[in-house]
Amino acid sequence: MEDRLQMANGLIPQKIVSVHLQDSALKELKGQASDLPAQLLQPDPESCIERNPPEPDTMEDPQSPGSASTRGPGGAPGGSEPAMDGDRGVGSVEHCPLHLSSCHECLELENSTIESVRFASAENIPDLPYDYSSGLEGLADDLRPERDERRVNVMGKAPNILLYVGSDSRDGQDRLQQVRSALADCVDTDCYTLYHLPPENALRDPWPDNCLLLVIATGEPVPEDLSRRFMAYLSQGGKVLALASSFTLPGFRVTSKSPLQDTVQSLVFCKADGSLLRLSILSSGCVYEEGPGEPLGPGKLHGHLDSEDGDRLVVQVPFGIHGGEAVLCQVHLELPPSSPVVQTQEDFNLLKSSNFRRYEVLTEILTTLGLSCDAKQAPALTPLYLLTATEEIRGPLVQWLGKHVDPEGVIRSSKVSLKFISSYTSEIEITPSAIPVVTDTESCSSENFDFEIYRQNLKTKKLGKVILFAEVTPTTMNLLDGLMFEMPQEMGLIAIAVRQTQGKGRGKNAWLSPLGCALSTLLVCIPLRSPLGQRIPFVQHLMSLAVVEAVRSIPGYQDINLRVKWPNDIYYSDLMKLGGVLVNSTLMGETFYILIGCGFNVTNSNPTICINDLITEYNKEHGAELQPLRADCLVARTVTVLEKLIDVFQDQGPNGVLPLYYKYWVHSAQQVRLGSAEGPQVWIAGLDDSGFLLVHQEDGDVVTVHPDGNSFDMLRNLIVPKQQ
């Protein structure tokens, strides 16, 4: 049928199968069809978008036969276009007999339909499939010159990004996962669907009509017939991104440079606005050179090696007269720094340091190719759940709440109102300033945080015993505000969240809170007239140290290169930050009420680095088999270690904890400059008795640097005064 037979909603049948039905079955079907309500023919377009990927053996249209398009032909809402002459209702199925492909009447009808289509409006019907057997030479003649250059999704199908990774081998499946993961981190997967395009489907199926972007990511040569179809898609206004692929366009050729293969190189990338990005990338071992054919006008995006040769690794190529466009890359933008291809620790460090810029480059390319890479919409807020680490504390907690909530069950503070309820329903509103707290622990479950694991790893006398947990909350720093001064200190409060929408950093900084980050705010009460009460700046150092010790005290994990940076950061070596601490303290009478906010990356490798990345690299380098860690385990271990460190400090003062702190900190004998690159050169000596930084100047003078007035710029080895 040459793909010319289509059903009413634009689906192209793959095959026709004859089925024998008995008369009784036919009568029953006829009765069901005639009784069907008319409104069923017009389903809600929003509820009918099918986002499930097709089965591996077929590249189906993303909408099921029973679904309605979100937009109908000509931009009308799906299901609402007027009926055309000859359209038949469901009850008229008996008047639509099927014919065989050899039927003379069908052949005549097909020919007349094709002839009519040639003169129909391009805005209201899809293109006829291109005959790929005739080559590319006649392609321009087949395309209608009057068609608007913007590729119109006339069928109103779901916005598909198709991923071609070559043969269905183990390497191909690995590449598919890598490409899918990289793209999903850049585009909103609620707006785009990522589909695998197997070679057999790429040749057989009508995918070009519903493809917003074709990604070609295979080191294998693209078969000639497939390459011609990809070129035909481009000629009709398609968009292509080639990642480390031999696929190219006339005017360019791919040239191998073996010394570059799988090596880390320095790339200079020019963005659409002309600004430059320099980053470390993993090269495929090939470059682009002028090739046979008519030279094509280059686009605005381009990238070249930061070397004397300046080999081209990224080119943007407009193609055809209908808005087709390709970005060709001989850079592995799809591979994470933890890829097995990356062999050395030095290469891993270089790529991880540039990982954020790798995503910036990929986002720039996708945006140029017409996709939206706007920040994803913040997840919806969820209720809090009131949990306890032990059953013994639950009874006193419930009694205390009964005496302190108002008649509506609310505890109010200047930042948030907490309304305690037995169960939650979707009708209850959740806002950043008014959050329900569910007291029924049986209804709390989370895929991302296991409370049994938390309880098993929490070995404290007081801290972290009463938990306010949320899947999504504005910020954990505000949740304890109304409880911290009233609740008995033995009921150690902690707020834990899987995601934050308004995470706070130091000063006016925001703290990004992606899935996989351990997020908590812990309440600690310190007597004013105690060793730590007289040296409150040490609290942030103790918390940073607790995170590092929580990991490195696990048997086998002692050499994971996790460290502390003054005054309040957790670092991978001295290279990259993966966590931070924020401390707010309030003195009431003779007691400091201290909220310690902490966030550190556990499983979220992108866009920077996480603890499990360090474990993966350690396993690779040492042939070890250390297991990845979990946020629930590490939050509990961190609270446990912190309580022990506080006890040691109260007994022995700073000298009781500084040896362990210096064991893990990144600044030993570090040479830095004060203020600017031209400022005085100093050497870091350690912490003074109050927790401030001690530095030795060249003339022998000792200078104390206070954390609330200064910050440490690790990249430039500067201690920089904060701007007021």
Side-chain angles (χ1 to χ4, degrees):
M1 293 178 291
E2 297 178 312
D3 288 348
R4 291 190 176 97
L5 175 61
Q6 295 188 352
M7 295 180 183
N9 64 350
L11 292 177
I12 297 176
Q14 300 293 323
K15 59 184 176 180
I16 294 177
V17 178
S18 60
V19 177
H20 177 72
L21 293 175
Q22 297 179 355
D23 288 345
S24 58
L26 288 171
K27 291 178 181 177
E28 183 179 350
L29 284 173
K30 177 183 175 182
Q32 291 176 357
S34 55
D35 291 337
L36 214 60
Q39 60 266 29
L40 289 184
L41 298 178
Q42 299 182 359
D44 175 24
E46 290 298 328
S47 65
C48 296
I49 298 176
E50 174 59 55
R51 298 196 180 275
N52 293 329
E55 294 297 325
D57 61 342
T58 178
M59 189 61 205
E60 296 178 358
D61 186 286
Q63 291 182 276
S64 62
S67 300
S69 305
T70 56
R71 304 292 296 173
S80 64
E81 56 273 278
M84 303 298 290
D85 291 343
D87 281 1
R88 302 180 186 274
V90 175
S92 306
V93 173
E94 67 199 64
H95 302 301
C96 300
L98 291 175
H99 292 251
L100 299 177
S101 59
S102 59
C103 171
H104 177 74
E105 179 183 348
C106 284
L107 292 175
E108 286 290 324
L109 178 60
E110 180 186 10
N111 289 335
S112 63
T113 303
I114 293 170
E115 194 63 28
S116 300
V117 163
R118 295 187 189 277
F119 299 98
S121 165
E123 293 296 324
N124 293 324
I125 61 166
D127 287 337
L128 286 174
Y130 171 66
D131 182 5
Y132 301 101
S133 62
S134 62
L136 290 173
E137 295 77 18
L139 185 60
D141 296 331
D142 258 2
L143 298 172
R144 295 187 294 277
E146 68 272 18
R147 174 146 185 183
D148 181 67
E149 289 190 7
R150 179 175 56 87
R151 184 170 177 81
V152 180
N153 190 8
V154 296
M155 298 296 289
K157 303 302 179 184
N160 297 335
I161 301 172
L162 302 187
L163 313 177
Y164 175 81
V165 295
S167 60
D168 191 21
S169 61
R170 176 63 183 270
D171 288 343
Q173 291 303 311
D174 289 343
R175 277 196 304 275
L176 176 64
Q177 291 304 114
Q178 290 157 355
V179 175
R180 189 191 300 273
S181 176
L183 293 180
D185 284 338
C186 294
V187 303
D188 190 345
T189 50
D190 288 335
C191 298
Y192 299 97
T193 29
L194 306 175
Y195 285 143
H196 179 207
L197 182 63
E200 62 273 16
N201 300 102
L203 280 174
R204 183 188 69 202
D205 293 347
W207 55 267
D209 289 329
N210 294 291
C211 179
L212 295 185
L213 175 68
L214 170 65
V215 180
I216 305 172
T218 174
E220 306 166 0
V222 179
E224 184 178 348
D225 52 353
L226 207 49
S227 181
R228 282 163 45 202
R229 190 162 199 204
F230 292 163
M231 295 287 283
Y233 165 68
L234 267 171
S235 296
Q236 297 177 61
K239 310 291 184 181
V240 168
L241 169 59
L243 295 171
S245 169
S246 62
F247 177 81
T248 188
L249 298 178
F252 291 96
R253 66 166 172 259
V254 178
T255 303
S256 175
K257 284 200 169 183
S258 298
L260 297 178
Q261 185 172 0
D262 296 336
T263 61
V264 176
Q265 301 292 329
S266 180
L267 176 74
V268 179
F269 178 77
C270 181
K271 300 170 70 173
D273 62 5
S275 60
L276 298 179
L277 278 177
R278 283 180 167 81
L279 66 155
S280 297
I281 49 84
L282 189 64
S283 170
S284 70
C286 295
V287 300
Y288 293 108
E289 295 181 346
E290 297 292 340
E294 182 179 348
L296 297 173
K300 294 179 180 179
L301 301 185
H302 58 86
H304 60 83
L305 285 179
D306 192 5
S307 64
E308 186 176 345
D309 293 338
D311 292 314
R312 283 190 287 185
L313 297 186
V314 182
V315 292
Q316 177 189 357
V317 188
F319 190 81
I321 62 173
H322 296 281
E325 198 169 25
V327 175
L328 311 176
C329 303
Q330 290 303 330
V331 174
H332 283 295
L333 294 175
E334 78 284 6
L335 292 183
S338 57
S339 168
V341 176
V342 182
Q343 295 297 323
T344 69
Q345 189 73 39
E346 181 183 3
D347 285 349
F348 171 80
N349 293 343
L350 287 170
L351 293 175
K352 260 301 180 184
S353 297
S354 290
N355 203 38
F356 187 85
R357 277 163 285 177
R358 173 174 73 100
Y359 276 93
E360 191 174 351
V361 169
L362 186 54
T363 297
E364 179 75 10
I365 290 172
L366 293 172
T367 302
T368 299
L369 291 173
L371 273 69
S372 172
C373 295
D374 294 336
K376 298 180 181 180
Q377 185 177 0
L381 300 179
T382 63
L384 289 166
Y385 287 87
L386 183 65
L387 307 164
T388 55
T390 61
E391 285 300 320
E392 293 78 13
I393 202 174
R394 186 156 190 86
L397 173 62
V398 172
Q399 291 179 8
W400 181 89
L401 281 175
K403 296 176 181 179
H404 287 80
V405 297
D406 67 14
E408 297 177 349
V410 177
I411 293 180
R412 291 178 169 84
S413 74
S414 60
K415 297 179 180 178
V416 65
S417 294
L418 302 179
K419 181 172 184 178
F420 292 83
I421 56 178
S422 59
S423 61
Y424 173 76
T425 61
S426 58
E427 289 78 19
I428 300 176
E429 184 181 13
I430 306 175
T431 69
S433 60
I435 303 176
V437 182
V438 181
T439 57
D440 178 13
T441 59
E442 297 297 325
S443 61
C444 179
S445 64
S446 172
E447 295 180 359
N448 304 294
F449 204 94
D450 189 320
F451 285 95
E452 190 55 39
I453 293 177
Y454 176 84
R455 293 185 180 103
Q456 290 171 2
N457 286 276
L458 186 73
K459 309 294 182 183
T460 61
K461 298 186 291 289
K462 293 182 180 179
L463 297 186
K465 295 285 190 177
V466 176
I467 307 112
L468 286 178
F469 171 79
E471 285 285 339
V472 183
T473 201
T475 169
T476 58
M477 286 296 288
N478 291 347
L479 298 181
L480 307 184
D481 189 56
L483 305 173
M484 56 187 290
F485 302 118
E486 301 291 339
M487 188 171 285
Q489 293 184 19
E490 62 270 16
M491 297 182 185
L493 277 170
I494 187 171
I496 299 173
V498 173
R499 299 283 303 274
Q500 291 182 137
T501 59
Q502 302 171 16
K504 296 179 180 179
R506 210 163 157 242
K508 295 182 179 179
N509 296 333
W511 175 262
L512 300 180
S513 308
L515 195 64
C517 182
L519 305 165
S520 65
T521 293
L522 178 70
L523 173 63
V524 177
C525 298
I526 304 294
L528 170 63
R529 303 187 187 281
S530 68
L532 186 55
Q534 296 295 302
R535 302 170 179 84
I536 287 299
F538 262 103
V539 171
Q540 60 188 331
H541 308 324
L542 296 183
M543 187 63 180
S544 300
L545 177 59
V547 173
V548 174
E549 177 70 359
V551 175
R552 299 186 68 164
S553 62
I554 302 174
Y557 293 75
Q558 60 271 12
D559 293 325
I560 300 299
N561 199 2
L562 194 64
R563 297 188 174 273
V564 292
K565 180 184 86 72
W566 178 88
N568 57 353
D569 291 332
I570 300 108
Y571 256 61
Y572 160 48
S573 182
D574 60 352
L575 297 172
M576 280 164 278
K577 178 177 177 177
L578 52 69
V581 174
L582 177 65
V583 175
N584 289 336
S585 60
T586 304
L587 180 61
M588 294 279 288
E590 293 289 310
T591 303
F592 274 110
Y593 293 85
I594 302 174
L595 292 179
I596 307 174
C598 184
F600 54 94
N601 300 335
V602 181
T603 64
N604 49 313
S605 294
N606 296 311
T608 53
I609 195 169
C610 68
I611 289 172
N612 283 347
D613 284 339
L614 309 189
I615 295 171
T616 299
E617 287 306 304
Y618 181 86
N619 286 342
K620 186 189 301 183
E621 186 176 353
H622 296 88
E625 296 182 354
L626 299 180
Q627 296 302 304
L629 299 176
R630 297 174 54 98
D632 36 33
C633 169
L634 289 182
V635 171
R637 287 184 61 86
T638 297
V639 175
T640 302
V641 172
L642 178 65
E643 188 176 79
K644 292 178 181 177
L645 290 173
I646 290 174
D647 289 344
V648 171
F649 196 103
Q650 298 289 42
D651 289 341
Q652 305 175 31
N655 291 334
V657 298
L658 282 177
L660 184 63
Y661 185 80
Y662 290 146
K663 176 183 176 181
Y664 293 139
W665 87 328
V666 300
H667 306 298
S668 297
Q670 188 174 10
Q671 189 176 13
V672 298
R673 290 190 179 272
L674 291 178
S676 69
E678 292 75 35
Q681 185 172 270
V682 298
W683 286 262
I684 295 178
L687 301 183
D688 71 6
D689 190 59
S690 297
F692 302 144
L693 195 66
L694 284 176
V695 296
H696 288 271
Q697 295 181 314
E698 289 181 303
D699 59 7
D701 290 342
V702 177
V703 178
T704 297
V705 183
H706 290 217
D708 27 328
N710 301 271
S711 66
F712 207 113
D713 188 334
M714 292 292 298
L715 297 179
R716 297 185 294 162
N717 277 354
L718 297 177
I719 297 177
V720 186
K722 282 280 188 180
Q723 298 297 320
Q724 299 300 323

